[in-house]
Amino acid sequence: MAGNGLPSLGRVKLTDLVPSEGVPSDSYKLSVSTLSQSFAQYSAAIIQFPASDGALLRSGLDSAHLYFQQKAAYPPEELIHTNDSREWCKTSGYYADPQLWQETYDYRPGLTPTDPINGMEFPPGGLPDIFSLLGKAARDVLDAISYYLNLRSSPFTEILDNVPLRSREISSSVLSVCCHARPSFPGAQHNNLTTPDDGQLIMVPDHEHQVDKSLISVVKSDKAGFHVRDFQGRWILLDGDLGPQEAVVYPGLALYQATAGYVNPALHRTETNNMSGNMYGKCSLVFKLMPKSMTSLSCSEMRAAGHGVEAQFQLPIPVDDFMQRSHPTDQLFNRNTFPSFSYPLAHDGSMKPLMRRRKNNTRCKPLPPSKRLRLEAQRVLKERVQEIADKKGIKLRFCNLKECENHIHALDSPCANIRMEIGWPHGVPFVHPHDLPNKAKIGFLEAYEPGWTATHDMDLSLTEPAQTSQQYCN
């Protein structure tokens, strides 16, 4: 990552992400910045729980080991199935997927019984407490992302489950206790496996990667092997050095849709190497914060905050339809995501990124009028361009400088339709505010800032004498 990005996966304390009344603390703003930057670069981050919560997660994984170890080597046929999108909010209890060499026990409050099944089989222990712990953490992460995007407090409350659930309500969110590559599970005979000379079992999955349809997912594993693809296309091992109080958190497709594509979902995969001699396989606790099935995913909160919303996100999508659709991943990761910058904390407590300032040096000469003109024109240009686009609900498409100059007079250029829709001044390049020629900047200011030349004729006379003289004649 060039520039001032994070050198490694971001780590934040969960206690620093808990919002409080009044002005946000410096630790909160710094934690939000680290979390958001990590999402932008790596599509994931690491959250650190208090020590007591780490003990609860450890006991949950130990209970998972015992639960799957006592399962039959060949489960009943009705418990063997693959993921069915039509049943996304109804999964509960044990099921197995031999193709992925994976077993899962889903705990869904309101649907999953907490008592022993048939008086004989005990479910993994501590699931209600773990569900509550990870659910609270996922909501805190979601609120932190909302703060970073300058959305109002708790903007996704309407699409989330009630806390606590009301009478006869069934949770949309789910806690999955997963076990990969248990040696006694028959997936070893049905999956694509190779056995090298050293005896290691290496899983070659039918589907190289997966994307969760959640808003936020939290994963705690007992062994390394969880990979996420970063923004450069590299696969990053996330849980190789996790401490007992740490877990991985990453965004899903529902958050991508609800934020108009500003937050990219994580592309992840699980590898099960070096499983020879391991009697338990790889166990993990996976919590998925899901939207309610009877609600819709819309970008109204993003519009209200002044963010541009592209055409594909304009119409609300019913959650149930969204969950049953297929989402090609090759179209999701060629987009701009979070702004990839780090920033100092503003004095007013806002999260607006501050421009890098030159080092203060009293011996430096003042900027010449021509330089001040260019900086002022660039600043006003950026503000006005974004303001106009936001009012019209248009997400700007930035050309590079060469394209920008070539597209001025072209009617069939990629940005011609947007230029026409936004009412862009004829002859002004669209939209490359960084290196526009002075004449283009002045032309924009004359079109959208009435009286601008009258108050800056001194600067203009020093930078564009010919144009200024022509304006006076006119």
Side-chain angles (χ1 to χ4, degrees):
M1 179 68 181
N4 51 357
L6 296 177
S8 61
L9 198 68
R11 274 181 162 85
V12 295
K13 292 182 178 179
L14 186 60
T15 53
D16 290 338
L17 286 179
V18 178
S20 59
E21 296 288 341
V23 178
S25 64
D26 289 348
S27 61
Y28 179 78
K29 291 183 288 186
L30 182 60
S31 296
V32 169
S33 173
T34 302
L35 175 74
S36 303
Q37 185 67 51
S38 188
F39 274 14
Q41 293 180 230
Y42 304 103
S43 297
I46 295 175
I47 54 175
Q48 299 172 331
F49 291 89
S52 59
D53 296 336
L56 175 62
L57 295 176
R58 180 70 260 173
S59 66
L61 289 172
D62 291 341
S63 178
H65 294 157
L66 298 177
Y67 173 78
F68 288 110
Q69 185 62 23
Q70 55 89 27
K71 297 297 294 183
Y74 292 88
E77 184 177 354
E78 63 271 13
L79 298 180
I80 298 179
H81 62 83
T82 57
N83 185 28
D84 187 353
S85 60
R86 293 172 297 179
E87 302 292 327
W88 70 273
C89 60
K90 301 177 182 178
T91 58
S92 175
Y94 173 86
Y95 59 95
D97 188 345
Q99 293 183 356
L100 296 179
W101 201 10
Q102 176 179 333
E103 300 168 274
T104 303
Y105 183 92
D106 277 352
Y107 172 72
R108 191 180 299 274
L111 183 62
T112 307
T114 56
D115 297 328
I117 303 172
N118 298 327
M120 298 177 59
E121 183 180 84
F122 287 85
L127 297 188
D129 293 333
I130 297 174
F131 183 95
S132 177
L133 172 66
L134 299 185
K136 178 64 167 58
R139 288 178 183 247
D140 288 342
V141 169
L142 189 61
D143 285 342
I145 297 304
S146 303
Y147 181 81
Y148 186 84
L149 292 173
N150 201 31
L151 308 182
R152 66 181 178 89
S153 299
S154 304
F156 302 106
T157 300
E158 295 181 357
I159 65 174
L160 295 177
D161 291 325
N162 288 318
V163 179
L165 292 172
R166 302 305 185 254
S167 177
R168 298 184 179 180
E169 283 186 344
I170 296 176
S171 174
S172 299
S173 300
V174 63
L175 172 62
S176 299
V177 184
C178 303
C179 183
H180 294 268
R182 177 167 65 95
S184 58
F185 180 61
Q189 285 76 33
H190 299 289
N191 205 37
N192 299 326
L193 295 176
T194 59
T195 305
D197 296 336
D198 58 2
Q200 295 179 352
L201 290 176
I202 300 179
M203 182 178 181
V204 184
D206 295 332
H207 304 284
E208 185 181 19
H209 52 255
Q210 299 177 2
V211 180
D212 290 358
K213 294 184 179 180
S214 60
L215 291 162
I216 295 291
S217 296
V218 184
V219 178
K220 175 63 177 176
S221 303
D222 63 342
K223 298 178 183 63
F226 187 75
H227 294 73
V228 166
R229 198 178 77 174
D230 69 2
F231 81 112
Q232 293 181 341
R234 302 171 303 182
W235 287 100
I236 307 297
L237 178 64
L238 301 185
D239 52 1
D241 59 346
L242 283 188
Q245 301 164 216
E246 294 179 331
V248 176
V249 59
Y250 57 91
L253 276 170
L255 187 59
Y256 170 83
Q257 179 68 33
T259 59
Y262 281 76
V263 184
N264 276 339
L267 215 66
H268 61 85
R269 68 185 184 189
T270 299
E271 292 186 357
T272 53
N273 299 347
N274 301 319
M275 286 297 171
S276 59
N278 190 315
M279 61 183 298
Y280 296 119
K282 173 183 169 62
C283 290
S284 57
L285 305 171
V286 184
F287 177 86
K288 296 179 182 179
L289 183 65
M290 307 291 290
K292 293 188 293 188
S293 60
M294 301 304 292
T295 58
S296 296
L297 297 174
S298 70
C299 301
S300 57
E301 296 292 343
M302 298 294 289
R303 294 192 196 93
H307 297 285
V309 178
E310 292 184 352
Q312 69 186 87
F313 301 105
Q314 292 285 348
L315 298 178
I317 300 179
V319 169
D320 201 50
D321 292 346
F322 179 82
M323 295 298 170
Q324 296 184 44
R325 291 183 184 180
S326 60
H327 301 271
T329 57
D330 57 344
Q331 300 177 6
L332 298 178
F333 301 94
N334 298 321
R335 306 171 44 83
N336 292 328
T337 179
F338 283 122
S340 56
F341 46 69
S342 60
Y343 50 86
L345 302 175
H347 294 295
D348 60 356
S350 66
M351 291 295 290
K352 295 180 180 178
L354 303 178
M355 295 180 62
R356 249 187 220 175
R357 297 174 179 173
R358 297 177 182 269
K359 295 181 179 179
N360 293 329
N361 190 344
T362 56
R363 293 177 296 178
C364 291
K365 296 181 180 180
L367 292 174
S370 58
K371 180 64 174 179
R372 291 202 305 270
L373 170 65
R374 288 195 295 271
L375 293 178
E376 175 67 11
Q378 179 172 312
R379 181 189 66 79
V380 177
L381 176 64
K382 288 181 179 179
E383 292 178 356
R384 295 292 290 153
V385 166
Q386 193 62 52
E387 180 182 347
I388 296 167
D390 290 343
K391 287 181 178 179
K392 295 179 177 289
I394 300 172
K395 190 169 184 179
L396 296 177
R397 185 251 191 198
F398 288 85
C399 298
N400 61 44
L401 183 58
K402 184 175 181 181
E403 289 178 336
C404 200
E405 296 293 347
N406 292 335
H407 292 167
I408 294 178
H409 303 291
L411 297 178
D412 56 348
S413 64
C415 51
N417 294 333
I418 302 181
R419 282 212 318 266
M420 184 179 303
E421 187 177 355
I422 202 174
W424 198 255
H426 180 70
V428 178
F430 178 79
V431 175
H432 192 83
H434 310 293
D435 297 305
L436 288 182
N438 285 344
K439 290 183 180 180
K441 293 177 181 177
I442 294 170
F444 176 85
L445 293 171
E446 290 174 344
Y448 283 101
E449 295 289 329
W452 186 86
T453 55
T455 59
H456 292 76
D457 47 350
M458 179 61 72
D459 285 342
L460 286 174
S461 64
L462 294 173
T463 55
E464 302 286 346
Q467 182 172 350
T468 307
S469 301
Q470 183 178 1
Q471 290 170 354
Y472 282 141
C473 293
N474 294 336

